[in-house]
Amino acid sequence: MNDATPSFDPQSDSGSAAGSVAVVSGGVGAARFLRGLMDVVDHERITAVVNTGDDTVLHGLDISPDLDTVTYTLAGAIDPERGWGLVDESWRAMESLERYATVRPEGSAAAPRWFNLGDQDLATHFYRTARRREGASLTEITAEIARAWGLRLNIVPMTDDRCSTVVTLAAVDGEAPTDVSFQDYFVRLRHSVAVQAVRFDGDARLSDTARRAFTDARTIVIAPSNPIVSIGPMRSLPGVDELLASRRTDTVAVSPIVGGAALKGPADRMLVELGFEASVVGVARLYADIASVLVVDTVDEHLADEVERAGMRCVVAPSIMSTPSLAADLARITLAAGRTVSDIE
């Protein structure tokens, strides 16, 4: 059964490289966890290694949704209701595209409006695109954007190469299964259609900066992000699972599934549609080879023994980050679990 909730002393590793934390990150859930982590750990000791499988090109612009969600959230600039985009945003550029809908030739992909880009948000994409055209790596550009927003923690893309999440939609009414980009599935189709498969295209590798973060960190945290399309792209990169497995005793995962459901997004439905169990036990089965501890919410305490039979030590704690203080509490508990696991195994 799970142990008593551990406690974390933020001074215990103060100022040392051994006290650093690397967080395997997706979008909204990871951003909220990182915001809590910033309240308990020196910012310079935190590295968020962020999924880029969601990245896309629209209007000729390089767009990195998870990187931007993490950056905007940690800078205190995210729209709190949507959980993405900037607060006090305006949409005049998107609205103005309607003018061209009447003249756009059939089959043209010009001027799409299904993926909203706010007027302020466009500035980030303008900058990223221009710097990429100048030959800068995504790692370099992401660091520049983080500094522009006044952030001191390290935000690192998982790769500097192109990696695309492709979703195969289940066949409907006798039609053949259809491959779409992740953003088509998630935004245009509002993740309302059943999924048959997910794959990750591109000859990408883990960036050297991300690799060093995982190798050098005292604790690795797998954030409460979708295991399939937020954590999955990173795990698909050559050698990543082997690297995480080698750090297994120092790796703690936080379940994105609470009471059998995802708090945001389609993770619970995707798990079921792809043949997994939408529960903390299902999450444990997915992560047991690369993490030694799973933090689950109190509503799932009755499943703690099953989590442990799946191969992970179970820590039960409030995990719904509805306030900054609750996010900070979750970060403390998660770090404490990582500090104590090597003494237990």
Side-chain angles (χ1 to χ4, degrees):
M1 187 60 180
N2 61 291
D3 299 310
T5 301
S7 60
F8 167 66
D9 177 6
Q11 302 303 319
S12 61
D13 292 313
S14 179
S16 69
S20 62
V21 183
V23 183
V24 185
S25 303
V28 175
R32 291 176 178 168
F33 179 85
L34 285 161
R35 186 65 192 88
L37 189 62
M38 288 169 62
D39 285 339
V40 299
V41 174
D42 291 342
H43 296 187
E44 293 86 352
R45 291 162 54 202
I46 302 170
T47 300
V49 181
V50 183
N51 167 47
T52 59
D54 297 5
D55 287 14
T56 191
V57 176
L58 284 171
H59 314 286
L61 299 175
D62 289 295
I63 300 167
S64 297
D66 282 357
L67 284 169
D68 292 342
T69 292
V70 168
T71 299
Y72 295 162
T73 299
L74 302 186
I78 201 80
D79 185 296
E81 294 184 6
R82 291 194 307 268
W84 57 270
L86 289 160
V87 70
D88 298 327
E89 187 60 278
S90 58
W91 308 92
R92 295 189 65 182
M94 291 293 104
E95 292 163 0
S96 297
L97 288 177
E98 183 63 27
R99 179 188 304 275
Y100 301 100
T102 59
V103 300
R104 181 174 54 212
E106 184 176 353
S108 172
R113 293 189 62 204
W114 57 267
F115 192 102
N116 268 334
L117 297 171
D119 299 330
Q120 299 177 77
D121 186 35
L122 279 168
T124 300
H125 311 313
F126 289 154
Y127 183 82
R128 178 184 293 115
T129 303
R131 290 289 287 127
R132 292 205 81 159
R133 300 303 179 270
E134 292 172 350
S137 70
L138 187 57
T139 295
E140 293 170 324
I141 299 163
T142 301
E144 292 165 3
I145 291 171
R147 289 201 305 273
W149 284 96
L151 298 174
R152 293 184 291 113
L153 82 165
N154 306 297
I155 301 176
V156 176
M158 67 182 195
T159 182
D160 287 318
D161 307 313
R162 300 286 184 180
C163 177
S164 299
T165 300
V166 178
V167 178
T168 302
L169 306 181
V172 178
D173 298 329
E175 296 182 1
T178 305
D179 284 352
V180 299
S181 72
F182 176 79
Q183 296 302 339
D184 271 311
Y185 162 75
F186 190 75
V187 180
R188 185 174 65 82
L189 298 174
R190 300 180 184 274
H191 51 79
S192 62
V193 292
V195 170
Q196 179 175 306
V198 174
R199 72 173 191 272
F200 310 104
D201 285 354
D203 186 19
R205 65 178 182 85
L206 187 70
S207 73
D208 292 340
T209 306
R211 183 175 300 278
R212 283 195 300 271
F214 290 146
T215 301
D216 296 345
R218 170 62 181 86
T219 303
I220 299 172
V221 177
I222 301 175
S225 301
N226 187 314
I228 305 297
V229 293
S230 292
I231 308 301
M234 209 173 309
R235 297 186 65 181
S236 77
L237 301 177
V240 169
D241 262 16
E242 292 81 359
L243 174 56
L244 293 176
S246 73
R247 301 297 317 277
R248 183 179 181 275
T249 57
D250 301 313
T251 302
V252 184
V254 181
S255 176
I257 301 296
V258 176
L263 297 178
K264 189 175 181 64
D268 47 357
R269 286 184 286 111
M270 291 190 86
L271 286 169
V272 172
E273 290 163 1
L274 295 174
F276 303 104
E277 183 178 326
S279 72
V280 294
V281 179
V283 173
R285 290 170 181 155
L286 284 168
Y287 287 159
D289 289 341
I290 59 171
S292 54
V293 183
L294 184 65
V295 179
V296 309
D297 192 75
T298 52
V299 302
D300 291 308
E301 184 171 10
H302 64 289
L303 295 173
D305 287 343
E306 289 188 56
V307 167
E308 300 207 340
R309 282 195 290 272
M312 300 184 77
R313 188 165 67 89
C314 187
V315 171
V316 178
S319 69
I320 299 175
M321 297 173 286
S322 54
T323 67
S325 63
L326 288 173
D329 289 343
L330 178 62
R332 289 188 187 93
I333 290 166
T334 301
L335 291 180
R339 298 296 193 268
T340 59
V341 67
S342 59
D343 296 330
I344 294 171
E345 295 199 341

